[in-house]
Amino acid sequence: MAQINTTNTARQIRITLQTKQSLDPVRGLRGTQCYLTRLTLTQAVFSSAALAILAVSSVSPSYAGPDARVLAAAKTCEPKARALLQQLVQIDSGTGDVTGLAAMGAILKTELEHLGANVESVPAVAPAVGDNIVATLTGAGKGHILLIAHMDTVFPHGTVAQRPYTVVGNRGIGPGAGDDKAGIVSAVCALRVLRDVNYHDYAQITLILNSNEETGSVGTRDLIRAKAKESEAAINLERGVPPDSLEVTRKGSAVITVEIMGRAAHAGLEPEKGRNAIVEASHQAQQLGSLANPPMETTVNVTMIQGGNAINVIPDHALIKADVRAFTPEEFDRVEADLQKLAGDTTIPDVQVKASMVRNFPPWPRAASTEALLARAQKLYAEVGGKLAGVPVGSSADVAFAAETGTPSIDGIAILGGGAHGVEDYADLSSIVPRVYLLTRMLMDLGHNPPVKPTGR
C-alpha cells in the first residue's frame, strides 16, 4: 500500500509504493487493476504554510495532494459502507411501502445519531406516505450545506426475495442498490469520516432522506425547498455516472394520462354494438410517440396501459400513462398543447378521449453556480488522481427543487452506479473510497468557504 511521508526540509510529499511481490493488485479509481512496482512519485512542492497545517490537529480545507487523514478514514469506512449497503438493499422500500421505509429509517436514525446528528422524522405530505428522515450536524464554521438522498425505490414489495443483494466482481447488485441506497451510504460514510478526523469547520450540515422521490417527491419537495433556502450549497446524492462523472443538468418530468371511454357489449353475441376502448387506446398510444422531439432530446414513452375486465366483454374503458422528459419548460408547454390535438384524432367512432399532463420535477438547467461547484469538485478529486466530468442526464431528481430556490446545487457526488430501475441496478463498490473522499472534501471545502448565493432569492 502507499506510504505517505512529509518533511519540512524537503518541502515535498513523497509516496513510496511497495513492490509487486509484497502487494496485492491495486484497485484504481475506475475499478481497473494494476500492479505497481518500485516506483517513487514526488508531488509538486508545497508551500511551507501548507506543510505547517499538516502538523496541527485541524484538517486543512485545501491540499495539492491527498489529505492523508481523510483518505485513511475513507478506507477505514469502506467495510462499513459495504455492510450498510447490503443491509439497506435487503429491505423492500418501494414508494408507498410504509413498513419498509420505516425499517430503513430506523437503521439510518441509529447510524446518524451515533455520528452526533440530531435526527427527526418528518411525515411526507399527503398523498405521499412514509416518514422522511432529517439529520442535522452543527459545527463551528460558516457554511450551511444540504445533502439529499432518497430511501424509496421503484420496486414492489417482494422483489428482494426474488432478487436478493449479490456481489459480482465490483458490483453490488440488488433493488435500489445504485438508485439510491448507495447515495445514502455515501452520506453516512462521509459524515463518519468528518467525525473521525474531528472536522467541524462548517456551520451546519443537513441531510434529507426522502421517502417518495420515485413518484415526484410530492410529499417532500417543500421540505427540500425550505432546507435549501437555509443553505449556501446543496448536494444531491444520486449515483455518480460511470466512468467517473457527476450530473450538472437534468431533464424535468411529467406524466401524461389518456382516458378512453367506449361502450361495452357481448364479445360473441353482438360485438358490433360495442365501442372498443382498448383498440382506441392502442391508436392513442402509438400517437403519443409523435410528441417526442429528438433534436431537443424530449422523450415521450408509454409506460402503462390498462383496460378490460372480462374476456367476453368489449371493453368500455382504457387508461394510458406516458412518461415525458424535457430539458426546458417550453418543451413541456409544446407537448401539453399538442397532446390535446392528438386526443381529438380517434379511430373508433363514438368514443370519448380525455388527455391531461401533470408536471412533476422541473428541469434543472446548467448554471454558473453549478459550474463553480464542479470546478471545486474537480480540484478536490484531483487530490487522489481522479478526473471528473460534468454531464447532462435524462432523468429527473430532487436537485431541481433545491436549485430553483437559487441555492448553488450539484448532483452525482456519490458512489458510482448504473442500471437504475432494472434488474441490473448496481453500485460500483470499487468507487466507495474515492467517492467518499470526494464528498468529504466537498463538505470540508464548502463548510470552510461557502459560495455566495444570489441576492433576492
Side-chain angles (χ1 to χ4, degrees):
M1 63 181 64
Q3 296 175 340
I4 301 178
N5 301 311
T6 62
T7 64
N8 285 330
T9 54
R11 300 175 67 185
Q12 296 175 336
I13 289 184
R14 183 173 300 275
I15 304 174
T16 305
L17 300 169
Q18 296 177 0
T19 64
K20 173 180 176 181
Q21 287 76 17
S22 62
L23 186 63
D24 290 334
V26 175
R27 179 76 46 195
L29 286 177
R30 298 194 180 187
T32 57
Q33 283 189 342
C34 58
Y35 284 97
L36 302 175
T37 62
R38 292 198 176 102
L39 295 177
T40 299
L41 300 177
T42 302
Q43 300 285 355
V45 176
F46 269 21
S47 69
S48 57
L51 286 170
I53 293 173
L54 280 170
V56 299
S57 60
S58 61
V59 180
S60 168
S62 179
Y63 279 86
D67 181 323
R69 291 201 293 171
V70 171
L71 185 57
K75 291 178 178 179
T76 299
C77 192
E78 181 181 4
K80 299 182 180 70
R82 287 174 177 254
L84 180 59
L85 179 64
Q86 178 173 353
Q87 186 179 19
L88 297 180
V89 174
Q90 285 296 101
I91 298 172
D92 281 310
S93 60
T95 312
D97 189 332
V98 176
T99 300
L101 290 167
M104 287 266 293
I107 292 168
L108 294 166
K109 183 175 187 291
T110 299
E111 290 277 346
L112 293 163
E113 286 179 340
H114 284 167
L115 298 177
N118 177 55
V119 184
E120 59 180 324
S121 298
V122 180
V125 176
V129 296
D131 286 349
N132 303 294
I133 300 297
V134 180
T136 305
L137 286 163
T138 302
K142 294 186 295 183
H144 298 76
I145 309 153
L146 174 62
L147 300 176
I148 310 165
H150 65 90
M151 299 183 289
D152 64 319
T153 76
V154 299
F155 301 102
H157 191 85
T159 304
V160 169
Q162 298 169 359
R163 293 191 289 108
Y165 180 79
T166 58
V167 175
V168 179
N170 286 320
R171 293 187 173 188
I173 304 171
D179 184 18
D180 181 39
K181 297 183 180 184
I184 297 172
V185 171
S186 300
V188 172
C189 207
L191 296 178
R192 179 175 284 116
V193 172
L194 289 182
R195 183 202 63 183
D196 290 349
V197 301
N198 197 30
Y199 190 88
H200 303 285
D201 190 10
Y202 54 85
Q204 185 169 283
I205 298 172
T206 302
L207 170 63
I208 295 176
L209 301 178
N210 185 354
S211 67
N212 57 107
E213 189 270 352
E214 293 292 1
T215 52
S217 297
V218 174
T220 310
R221 58 181 64 176
D222 287 343
L223 174 65
I224 292 169
R225 291 184 182 117
K227 295 300 183 182
K229 288 178 181 178
E230 299 171 359
S231 305
E232 281 89 33
I235 299 174
N236 194 44
L237 295 171
E238 293 284 359
R239 68 180 181 104
V241 180
D244 219 350
S245 300
L246 46 75
E247 299 95 338
V248 293
T249 183
R250 286 182 175 272
K251 292 180 182 180
S253 67
V255 176
I256 286 175
T257 300
V258 181
E259 186 176 14
I260 300 99
M261 284 74 69
R263 183 188 305 151
H266 194 292
L269 185 63
E270 43 189 11
E272 71 281 357
K273 291 186 178 180
R275 297 294 181 264
N276 197 313
I278 289 180
V279 173
E280 180 60 37
S282 66
H283 168 67
Q284 293 292 327
Q286 298 250 0
Q287 290 192 126
L288 288 175
S290 68
L291 296 174
N293 184 354
M296 294 293 290
E297 299 184 65
T298 301
T299 59
V300 180
N301 289 295
V302 174
T303 53
M304 294 177 62
I305 188 165
Q306 300 170 346
N309 53 25
I311 190 64
N312 58 351
V313 178
I314 300 298
D316 62 353
H317 183 267
L319 189 71
I320 301 168
K321 297 277 188 179
D323 177 272
V324 185
R325 306 286 171 140
F327 278 118
T328 67
E330 292 76 18
E331 272 296 280
F332 283 112
D333 293 341
R334 179 193 62 79
V335 170
E336 193 165 19
D338 291 349
L339 173 63
Q340 299 307 319
K341 299 174 186 177
L342 290 185
D345 179 12
T346 61
T347 59
I348 304 297
D350 304 325
V351 298
Q352 296 180 6
V353 178
K354 294 181 180 179
S356 61
M357 188 178 84
V358 175
R359 305 184 194 202
N360 280 333
F361 292 100
W364 175 43
R366 200 154 186 164
S369 59
T370 299
E371 295 295 329
L373 292 178
L374 172 61
R376 291 195 194 213
Q378 289 171 327
K379 181 178 180 180
L380 295 169
Y381 207 39
E383 294 175 354
V384 288
K387 293 183 179 180
L388 277 179
V391 296
V393 292
S395 55
S396 310
D398 286 331
V399 66
F401 297 123
E404 69 180 5
T405 69
T407 302
S409 303
I410 199 163
D411 200 354
I413 303 183
I415 297 167
L416 298 170
H421 297 191
V423 296
E424 292 298 320
D425 188 351
Y426 75 91
D428 181 351
L429 304 177
S430 71
S431 71
I432 291 174
V433 171
R435 282 302 181 120
V436 168
Y437 180 92
L438 171 61
L439 178 56
T440 306
R441 294 291 286 122
M442 281 292 284
L443 292 172
M444 293 166 65
D445 188 61
L446 293 169
H448 177 77
N449 183 27
V452 178
K453 291 179 66 171
T455 57
R457 299 303 292 265

